[in-house]
Amino acid sequence: MQSRRDILRYGLALGAASAVPMSGLFAGRAEAAPPTDLKLFVPAAPGGGWDQTARSMEQVLRANGAVTSVQVTNVPGAGGTVGLPQFVNQWKGQGNALMIGGMVMVGAIIANKAPVKLTATTPIARLTGEALALVVPAESPFKTAADFVKALKADPSKVPIAGGSAGGSDHILAGLIAKAGGGDATKVSYVAFAGGGPATAAILGNQVAAGISGYGEFAEQIKAGKMRCLAISADQRDPAIDAPTLREAGIPVDLFNWRGVFAPPGLSKEQVADITKLVADMVKSPAWAEMCKTKGWASIPIVGDSYGEFVAAETTRIEAILKDLGLAG
Amino acid sequence: MEAFASLMGGFAVALTPENLLWSLLGVTLGTAIGVLPGLGPGLTIALLLPITYKVDPTAAFILFAGIYYGAMYGGSTTSILLNTPGESATIVTALEGNKMARGGRGGAALATAAIGSFVAGTLGTLGITFLAPMVVKFALVFGPADYFALMILAFVTVSAVLGSSAIRGLTSLSIGLFLGFVGVDLQTGQPRFTFGLLELLDGINVIVVAVGIFAVGETLYVASRYRYGRDEIVPLKGSIWMTKEEWRRSWKPWLRGTLFGFPIGALPAGGAEIPTFLSYYTEKKLTKYPEEFGKGAIEGVAGPEAANNASAAGVLVPMLTLGLPTSATAAIMLSAFQSYGINPGPLLFQTQPQLVWGLIASLFIGNVMLLVLNLPMIAIWVKMLKIPAPLLYAGVLVFATIGTYGISQSPVDLVLLYAIGFVGFAMRRYDFPTAPVIIGMILGPMAEQNLRQALTISAGDWSVFFTRPLSAALLALALLALVAPHFWELMKKPRLEHPPAAL
């Protein structure tokens, strides 16, 4: 992977002189702490959320002068569960390496019954999160989240909900809402689409009663008045979004599609402290805040040991809801 | 005429020397990656996303649009010359295109592909300019039930590639359907036929199967026959360019292909492959030279090639008018918009007119550049066919292997490639048609998912397929396409058979 990426970079650099920073090609060596030659492992294809997290980190850390080189390696497949064993086994003991992961991976590990779990890594920090939105087509009779939940409880088969693939964060939130509203999570009429585009099209075309996905996926449609946002899944109200949280709407549920970084296993205490400091300094920098704002991510850092506890708690919670949905045994 | 004035404004943006250079870089890069199976425009644009930190948005999108259109051009080249499709939308091109190349008409096949792509790309871009709001309204009417009916219509096209024996053809189709089911089921999240391998959870990539069956299978077959006399590849017969006759036979398929490609490409779940199937089927039914189909009929190259380029233009309609990414490449282009803090959505035309019209103008320019770039290259490309068979086929294997590894750097894909290659070899050896495998693999999962989405929405009521007007109309069309040709035969046959008997 790496060599091809570099070939492309060379090609581009030849074609367009200054298009890409060249410094990464002449990497420095890891010496004193914290590491200056960072390696980022992305267990997904280029272009997705994890990949963009990695590339945004690269951008910010370079601009801050915290590192001299960043290498990004992509190993896509099955919600990150193809890449995870490779990271744990082949990158063991590397103090300058970080894997990007998040809630989607927690769900995929449970649903795919993956042999290697996140507990095999060294959790470093949660970085960002995106709240999900519950939306309805502009023509929908539902005006509030309470209206919707009432209908969902009465007859789930009458209110099909569109979202991403089964067992993913959108489906999980649909299950949580049904359960919190006193309904049966297994009866939710969930229509899985391959990605945000087709799902959004189905909502705009009034083919389904409601939709759930990342708020950013729907933001422009909501602004243009083609969809109505009933509620968002954040834990507190976002002044930039004109919609209540699910809690405010009387549905005691919150869910972030969070993303974070993990170091490989087998690091010394000093190595863990060094890489943690690198990440902790990054999330505090104005450049990171600016980057999150551009990308529409909420910066919700949890650094160090409490991140490990958070990941464990999320794993328990998601496993429970996937069982309720009949997707994990 | 408002659109026209805006478009002229767009040309003013795109025609600066700097932006022309970006466009040239884009189409060149796009052609190159289109040639390599596995390395598609989506991945390439994703790898180039970091340039959005350095370059202004108009230039970046002109570059990306060039790559996108260029890849569609490049994909046809290897399909025709080496029987190795670079993109899934050029799989159908290989059917007739490669036969033409072997018969000495490779130059004409490449020319009709390039000119057809130009015609379709230009008409498609005109469609974006003037019809986008109407097309998108129509596209949103399509629900899962209507998509299912469209897939059923597309399944009829299998009959065009069944070959002499229906049993063999349907066996091939079943192999394709089976391969398409491998992976996690979208509706339930449960793995099917993955045998505990994490690498199979995302399913088998259709390019791996196409390259395995066509390129690897073909190579093994040629090698197995090598001792019994050489394969008859004629490098060139007659003029390298299209003859007058070939022009005459190409222009209608170009236009019909565009009519399939643009609207289906604009459907949020339409894709680029279905219009190529429909175009191939239509051309085979309408041609005056049915005996040439399967042996290198130019209509079978002209139509599908126009269809895939028109669909590439169609995909941009929901992206630009609604901010809906309906293909992997469009999704990545959208994330590039976001890197600039531009939120593509229904208001994009109003908030960023300069960018959007600059992009549309650059599509026109990119199309012209691609034609200028590709036509002179044809003379060089066809020389490839003069390479002695052992060297050429060894090159094909290397090419196929590298390209497949490039898809996701997974060794599992390589094992699959060669396993499927052996299956392809066995199919050639025992005279099973190979195209139904690919059609089944592409259509099967789409039909299944849309069927189940439709039934979830209707709470299990099957009548949706007949009560929705679009769905009912498409199903009726499918029935007609399936029955009418046989009916026609029945009507004609007695008259042919009786007179000799009377003598």
Side-chain angles (χ1 to χ4, degrees):
Chain A
M1 182 72 206
Q2 198 49 46
S3 61
R4 205 172 33 117
R5 245 167 63 74
D6 283 351
I7 291 166
L8 270 171
R9 286 191 163 190
Y10 275 119
L12 189 78
L14 289 173
S18 65
V20 165
M22 294 283 285
S23 52
L25 299 168
F26 311 107
R29 244 193 323 278
E31 282 161 15
T36 56
D37 59 335
L38 187 65
K39 289 163 70 181
L40 294 175
F41 184 92
V42 179
W50 293 343
D51 187 64
Q52 287 189 44
T53 304
R55 282 162 216 275
S56 304
M57 284 177 71
E58 170 180 2
Q59 186 73 11
V60 169
L61 287 169
R62 273 177 198 278
N64 291 350
V67 296
T68 51
S69 86
V70 179
Q71 274 188 14
V72 182
T73 305
N74 296 78
V75 181
T81 54
V82 171
L84 180 62
Q86 192 173 326
F87 181 71
V88 166
N89 296 322
Q90 295 172 19
W91 293 49
K92 189 184 282 180
Q94 298 191 26
N96 61 341
L98 286 173
M99 177 184 73
I100 318 289
M103 199 201 103
V104 172
M105 200 167 183
V106 172
I109 289 169
I110 299 166
N112 298 344
K113 301 185 182 64
V116 178
K117 313 257 186 299
L118 276 173
T119 44
T121 66
T122 312
I124 300 297
R126 182 174 82 174
L127 299 176
T128 62
E130 204 185 359
L132 307 186
L134 171 65
V135 298
V136 291
E139 305 87 344
S140 167
F142 303 123
K143 301 290 177 207
T144 67
D147 289 349
F148 175 76
V149 170
K150 209 169 127 197
L152 187 66
K153 198 180 163 189
D155 186 358
S157 72
K158 292 264 167 59
V159 278
I161 306 169
S165 56
S169 51
D170 308 345
H171 194 185
I172 288 173
L173 184 62
L176 288 171
I177 290 176
K179 208 176 158 195
D184 184 349
T186 53
K187 295 240 164 68
V188 172
S189 179
Y190 185 78
V191 191
F193 285 87
T200 308
I203 302 162
L204 289 178
N206 219 355
Q207 315 283 353
V208 288
I212 295 176
S213 193
Y215 179 78
E217 201 81 57
F218 298 137
E220 290 304 303
Q221 313 295 341
I222 296 167
K223 262 183 228 161
K226 290 176 182 282
M227 279 183 191
R228 198 158 50 241
C229 181
L230 298 183
I232 57 166
S233 69
D235 51 357
Q236 50 191 320
R237 204 176 181 111
D238 184 335
I241 299 174
D242 181 26
T245 63
L246 283 166
R247 282 187 191 283
E248 287 172 330
I251 306 155
V253 170
D254 60 70
L255 187 73
F256 266 110
N257 182 3
W258 55 269
R259 299 183 186 119
V261 284
F262 301 81
L267 299 192
S268 70
K269 252 191 195 138
E270 292 73 31
Q271 280 177 312
V272 174
D274 289 341
I275 193 98
T276 307
K277 184 173 182 313
L278 181 79
V279 177
D281 288 347
M282 180 194 77
V283 295
K284 276 182 255 163
S285 71
W288 180 251
E290 187 56 37
M291 179 63 80
C292 288
K293 212 178 139 202
T294 317
K295 297 277 184 184
W297 300 330
S299 180
I300 44 168
I302 304 179
V303 183
D305 291 341
S306 37
Y307 177 53
E309 290 157 23
F310 166 76
V311 174
E314 278 291 271
T315 308
T316 315
R317 178 165 85 128
I318 292 170
E319 187 152 24
I321 188 66
L322 285 178
K323 269 191 187 140
D324 284 344
L325 289 170
L327 295 179
Chain B
M1 278 300 95
E2 193 192 335
F4 186 74
S6 309
L7 182 64
M8 287 302 119
F11 273 111
V13 174
L15 280 173
T16 63
E18 197 198 328
N19 284 340
L20 281 177
L21 222 71
W22 283 113
S23 183
L24 182 66
L25 180 69
V27 296
T28 313
L29 204 60
T31 309
I33 57 130
V35 165
L36 204 62
L39 198 57
L43 188 64
T44 310
I45 294 175
L47 293 173
L48 289 174
L49 275 183
I51 74 156
T52 56
Y53 299 121
K54 300 272 173 192
V55 179
D56 84 272
T58 316
F61 285 109
I62 288 174
L63 173 73
F64 292 164
I67 293 174
Y68 183 50
Y69 270 22
M72 282 290 168
Y73 267 70
S76 58
T77 307
T78 44
S79 285
I80 292 170
L81 293 176
L82 303 178
N83 208 12
T84 308
E87 311 293 327
S88 54
T90 61
I91 287 168
V92 176
T93 310
L95 296 179
E96 299 300 322
N98 189 248
K99 294 277 165 29
M100 282 182 75
R102 285 155 172 274
R105 296 308 299 152
L110 288 171
T112 198
I115 300 166
S117 297
F118 170 76
V119 170
T122 306
L123 290 175
T125 312
L126 279 172
I128 300 177
T129 313
F130 297 105
L131 303 176
M134 270 179 286
V135 171
V136 88
K137 227 177 241 164
F138 169 71
L140 285 180
V141 177
F142 264 75
D146 312 309
Y147 280 116
F148 177 70
L150 178 66
M151 307 298 156
I152 294 299
L153 177 62
F155 264 115
V156 174
T157 64
V158 175
S159 67
V161 289
L162 274 187
S164 50
S165 150
I167 287 283
R168 282 162 197 250
L170 292 175
T171 309
S172 299
L173 183 71
S174 313
I175 295 175
L177 289 174
F178 168 71
L179 289 174
F181 285 136
V182 173
V184 168
D185 168 38
L186 186 67
Q187 299 302 316
T188 59
Q190 302 306 304
R192 301 192 292 199
F193 307 115
T194 57
F195 307 102
L197 279 173
L198 287 172
E199 285 82 357
L200 289 180
L201 285 177
D202 285 342
I204 298 175
N205 191 307
V206 66
I207 285 290
V208 174
V209 177
V211 172
I213 288 212
F214 287 145
V216 178
E218 177 80 11
T219 305
L220 294 175
Y221 182 75
V222 170
S224 75
R225 305 267 103 187
Y226 197 65
R227 282 193 297 154
Y228 311 106
R230 302 294 150 89
D231 199 24
E232 40 356 295
I233 292 185
V234 186
L236 189 61
K237 193 170 76 188
S239 157
I240 188 162
W241 302 111
M242 288 162 71
T243 61
K244 213 179 231 173
E245 169 75 2
E246 282 163 340
W247 275 96
R248 196 181 56 71
R249 287 175 59 180
S250 288
W251 71 272
K252 278 187 204 155
W254 290 338
L255 296 183
R256 281 192 290 259
T258 308
L259 284 180
F260 280 119
F262 183 70
I264 295 178
L267 293 179
E273 296 91 359
I274 290 174
T276 64
F277 299 158
L278 291 175
S279 164
Y280 183 80
Y281 175 83
T282 311
E283 296 314 328
K284 192 174 175 183
K285 291 286 163 203
L286 292 180
T287 183
K288 291 199 186 87
Y289 312 89
E291 71 286 352
E292 279 186 34
F293 267 79
K295 299 193 189 85
I298 195 162
E299 293 91 342
V301 179
E305 269 305 301
N308 75 33
N309 268 64
S311 83
V315 164
L316 295 177
V317 170
M319 181 176 116
L320 292 175
T321 52
L322 292 177
L324 288 187
T326 57
S327 73
T329 312
I332 287 161
M333 282 171 86
L334 274 201
S335 65
F337 274 106
Q338 275 148 2
S339 303
Y340 288 112
I342 300 165
N343 291 312
L347 306 175
L348 187 68
F349 269 88
Q350 285 143 48
T351 53
Q352 300 285 339
Q354 207 201 2
L355 176 68
V356 176
W357 289 107
L359 177 69
I360 294 176
S362 78
L363 293 175
F364 283 108
I365 296 165
N367 251 315
V368 177
M369 276 193 186
L370 278 166
L371 196 65
V372 172
L373 188 78
N374 278 283
L375 282 183
M377 291 278 283
I378 290 174
I380 302 165
W381 283 123
V382 288
K383 290 222 169 76
M384 210 186 234
L385 295 170
K386 289 190 177 155
I387 301 171
L391 297 179
L392 179 67
Y393 281 103
V396 169
L397 273 194
V398 171
F399 209 52
T401 309
I402 294 174
T404 303
Y405 189 69
I407 295 172
S408 57
Q409 295 77 48
S410 158
V412 175
D413 278 352
L414 290 183
V415 176
L416 273 173
L417 175 74
Y418 282 90
I420 292 167
F422 274 101
V423 173
F425 162 65
M427 290 176 73
R428 277 283 325 249
R429 171 69 184 79
Y430 296 103
D431 210 19
F432 283 80
T434 46
V437 177
I438 308 298
I439 296 185
M441 192 175 172
I442 291 174
L443 288 182
M446 289 172 92
E448 187 217 356
Q449 293 302 328
N450 281 297
L451 172 69
R452 290 168 61 193
Q453 285 166 353
L455 288 176
T456 306
I457 292 172
S458 75
D461 181 1
W462 287 80
S463 71
V464 281
F465 299 107
F466 309 104
T467 50
R468 289 179 66 103
L470 254 178
S471 164
L474 285 166
L475 285 176
L477 210 58
L479 190 70
L480 195 72
L482 200 62
V483 177
H486 296 282
F487 199 64
W488 194 243
E489 296 276 296
L490 280 177
M491 299 275 284
K492 267 196 323 199
K493 252 183 195 158
R495 250 176 288 165
L496 284 173
E497 276 165 12
H498 282 295
L503 284 169

